[in-house]
Amino acid sequence: MTSKQPPSLLRKAKRFLARSDFLRNQYGNLRYLSHSLREGLWWSVLGGAAGTQEQTKQAILTWDVALPAFADAREMVAWLQEQGVTVHEGFYTFYIPPQPKLAELIPAVAELYPETAGFKILKDFRPPTQAHYLHGGELAARAKLVGSPEEQVVTANYLHSLGLGPRVWDLTAWKMGSTSLSVFVVDHVAGGEPPLGECEQFLARLKELTATSLLRITFPNWQGTKDFSCPGCNGNLIKQDATGELRYIDFQNFRISDALQWREQIVSEGTEVFHFGGGRPLRGKKYLYQAIPGFKQSAKRNTGKRWNFLVEKLKEANVEFAGRVVFDVGCNSGMILNSALNAGAAWGLGWDRPRVVPFTTKILHSLGTTRFHITGGELNEEYPLLGDISSRLLPALSESVVFYLSVRQHIGLLKDLQKFSWRALIYEGHQGEAESELAAILHPLIRDGVKLFHVTTFTDGDSAGRPLAILVRER
Ligand SMILES: C[S@@+](CC[C@H](N)C(=O)[O-])C[C@H]1O[C@@H](n2cnc3c(N)ncnc32)[C@H](O)[C@@H]1O
């Protein structure tokens, strides 16, 4: 026989909470708020300086996709499936893995990105600047903790740099009639559910990283939640067929606690390699070659001043960056590519010495930049530059812009620059080089409609003046 106990105060309070939506919401918000405080993510919920460092500045490409104007995600998924497109539907997004059909449906989009790219579309049918990953009655504090799509790019890049998540190639908009969708372009992770033990090891590493790195998980008490339960973590953890490594695909479960600190870490590890030519002993250990935006570190070159000058001059020649492929030979920390992508370039390709490349890639990632590839190589005049350009970018070469800044004395003038008909080439010489030498230096390039559009001596940062020439091919 059981005697009926009077309900405890706690039980009474729980019942009361369960009956009140308002109180349940407040309780939920408080849980996320206290989680954000514990994890050093308070700024994401309450607003603060750290967040301002965390948003991609890369221009968002808008694609006019010739698809019907769907009212919502359900309609779009059903239509795509009717066309024979494989679609995986999740709670907040649906994902279109790479497949031949995409070249037919969205040819321009499929052409720009690597053929391993898949498209993760937010069900919140708004453009990236307005859409939210979590939508539809989510707790306000949780939504802020997860962040906007533009903020998520930096976290996704961080997850990738730790070897935990896939590479993100872009955050872009697909325009269909008056609707614009937010689309993450990610490198497809092909594989299957990992064995239990490997999943457990992965989660143990994750736990360690949440204590020793800037990686944080957006769930309070995440261990044991569906998304972090072995072996498959609710379909999020995949063992890659190609490498056997595990990748966690849903980056909204993570947040970087301080994007600026990440950048500082990369710079302090990479100062030696970015610090090309010995730098300036009196300027201290962290003196860089190129100034990095948002980062108060002294540098030899003033990226902002250089970039503003080049944009203005190229505009006079009717060459703007939107939609162009940009090459930077001897790109150093990649700040010229970064500026070009922020100005709307479709893709950036950079080259530098092999030991420089990992740092360049990381610095660009820490700035939220994604549409680029950096190749490592010891360049010289004979270097086959064209061999590094993916065939998907070849149709864009005739409208491309090439930067050849302060590298000729190290690598010569690459012969391959004569083998494709770039639209503009910006040449910058070295300290001590004279404007009067430019015509002779650039002679091999001034043919097939190429004109010397502008010549000057340019001075910025701590550098002495350098001769600079803008070559433009007339069409
Ligand atoms: C003086 S810095 C110029 C960097 C950048 N172009 C700029 O103007 O801001 C020269 C760059 O060329 C790279 N470099 C020098 N010799 C090279 C070589 N043989 N192959 C590839 N890169 C090289 C250096 O690592 C460095 O990043």
Side-chain angles (χ1 to χ4, degrees):
M1 210 173 134
T2 51
S3 64
K4 228 179 168 191
Q5 298 281 326
S8 71
L9 205 59
L10 186 66
R11 246 187 273 156
K12 269 191 202 161
K14 276 190 176 162
R15 265 193 227 155
F16 180 66
L17 270 177
R19 276 199 298 268
S20 162
D21 281 351
F22 173 75
L23 288 176
R24 218 181 25 246
N25 260 339
Q26 295 308 314
Y27 171 69
N29 277 325
L30 270 176
R31 263 187 88 216
Y32 277 95
L33 179 61
S34 74
H35 177 62
S36 74
L37 288 169
R38 263 196 313 273
E39 298 297 313
L41 294 168
W42 57 269
W43 48 268
S44 65
V45 180
L46 301 174
T52 58
Q53 295 295 335
E54 199 212 1
Q55 188 164 317
T56 175
K57 304 270 187 309
Q58 187 176 249
I60 290 172
L61 302 180
T62 297
W63 301 93
D64 267 313
V65 289
L67 300 178
F70 305 102
D72 55 27
R74 198 178 43 82
E75 242 182 45
M76 183 163 173
V77 170
W79 184 87
L80 286 167
Q81 285 169 339
E82 272 165 31
Q83 311 305 306
V85 176
T86 304
V87 184
H88 303 299
E89 196 171 354
F91 197 72
Y92 299 110
T93 62
F94 56 98
Y95 176 66
I96 311 179
Q99 53 200 298
K101 190 89 191 164
L102 292 180
E104 207 181 289
L105 278 182
I106 43 169
V109 182
E111 197 176 283
L112 178 70
Y113 301 104
E115 58 185 25
T116 50
F119 301 89
K120 180 172 173 155
I121 303 176
L122 266 56
K123 287 188 174 178
D124 181 356
F125 265 28
R126 288 183 293 166
T129 48
Q130 295 163 25
H132 212 283
Y133 205 102
L134 307 182
H135 73 288
E138 290 301 334
L139 292 167
R142 180 172 179 220
K144 284 189 171 171
L145 198 54
V146 168
S148 69
E150 286 172 301
E151 289 167 337
Q152 282 177 312
V153 171
V154 179
T155 291
N157 284 350
Y158 187 55
L159 204 61
H160 173 67
S161 86
L162 292 172
L164 304 174
R167 175 145 182 184
V168 172
W169 292 113
D170 210 0
L171 165 65
T172 181
W174 289 7
K175 195 164 182 301
M176 309 174 308
S178 58
T179 310
S180 280
L181 311 184
S182 299
V183 183
F184 285 104
V185 186
V186 294
D187 212 46
H188 181 67
V189 183
E193 192 172 88
L196 185 70
E198 289 183 36
C199 171
E200 284 167 350
Q201 268 177 16
F202 185 93
L203 293 190
R205 175 150 184 254
L206 213 52
K207 185 168 179 227
E208 191 191 319
L209 284 170
T210 57
T212 56
S213 78
L214 303 167
L215 189 70
R216 301 289 180 268
I217 294 177
T218 52
F219 293 127
N221 305 321
W222 58 274
Q223 282 164 297
T225 58
K226 255 195 339 233
D227 282 7
F228 293 97
S229 288
C230 285
C233 295
N234 203 18
N236 279 315
L237 193 61
I238 294 176
K239 178 169 173 153
Q240 285 180 301
D241 290 336
T243 61
E245 289 170 351
L246 270 47
R247 293 287 179 268
Y248 196 100
I249 53 177
D250 255 353
F251 39 83
Q252 91 273 10
N253 288 343
F254 301 89
R255 189 96 190 228
I256 183 169
S257 62
D258 190 334
L260 188 58
Q261 206 181 323
W262 179 25
R263 217 172 302 156
E264 280 166 359
Q265 285 172 1
I266 304 164
V267 167
S268 72
E269 286 163 20
T271 311
E272 286 302 313
V273 296
F274 286 152
H275 203 166
F276 188 77
R280 289 233 171 146
L282 293 178
R283 291 299 223 129
K285 215 169 156 261
K286 283 192 178 171
Y287 183 65
L288 295 163
Y289 187 77
Q290 298 177 329
I292 297 177
F295 190 75
K296 288 184 186 48
Q297 199 73 72
S298 53
K300 188 174 179 78
R301 309 304 304 272
N302 179 335
T303 304
K305 183 175 175 194
R306 287 172 102 186
W307 183 252
N308 292 342
F309 174 79
L310 293 175
V311 167
E312 199 181 301
K313 283 292 157 212
L314 283 163
K315 204 170 175 183
E316 285 171 21
N318 291 323
V319 178
E320 298 195 34
F321 283 91
R324 288 183 199 277
V325 172
V326 170
F327 303 113
D328 190 358
V329 182
C331 60
N332 195 259
S333 59
M335 291 305 104
I336 292 292
L337 287 176
N338 184 58
S339 307
L341 289 162
N342 291 356
W347 204 267
L349 283 183
W351 287 262
D352 211 293
R353 293 190 141 141
R355 68 194 189 107
V356 179
V357 170
F359 292 102
T360 306
T361 303
K362 274 194 203 164
I363 276 286
L364 287 170
H365 275 156
S366 75
L367 288 160
T369 306
T370 56
R371 290 192 300 270
F372 69 91
H373 186 79
I374 312 290
T375 303
E378 288 297 332
L379 306 184
N380 57 46
E381 278 183 8
E382 306 294 334
Y383 184 86
L385 200 74
L386 277 169
D388 293 334
I389 302 174
S390 150
S391 56
R392 72 197 159 84
L393 298 177
L394 297 180
L397 290 196
S398 61
E399 283 302 324
S400 61
V401 176
V402 180
F403 291 98
Y404 213 80
L405 310 177
S406 300
V407 285
R408 189 190 55 88
Q409 286 183 7
H410 306 298
I411 63 175
L413 196 63
L414 263 61
K415 292 193 174 140
D416 260 16
L417 295 175
Q418 298 171 44
K419 293 195 190 146
F420 68 104
S421 59
W422 36 264
R423 183 70 201 287
L425 184 145
I426 298 99
Y427 172 86
E428 186 190 67
H430 297 260
Q431 296 175 112
E433 220 171 277
E435 255 182 63
S436 55
E437 297 171 66
L438 286 174
I441 291 170
L442 299 172
H443 176 71
L445 301 177
I446 305 181
R447 54 186 203 147
D448 301 334
V450 172
K451 298 267 178 315
L452 209 46
F453 176 77
H454 186 76
V455 170
T456 188
T457 296
F458 191 74
T459 310
D460 67 287
D462 288 347
S463 171
R466 293 161 190 255
L468 186 138
I470 297 181
L471 276 58
V472 176
R473 191 180 307 269
E474 289 182 349
R475 299 264 179 238

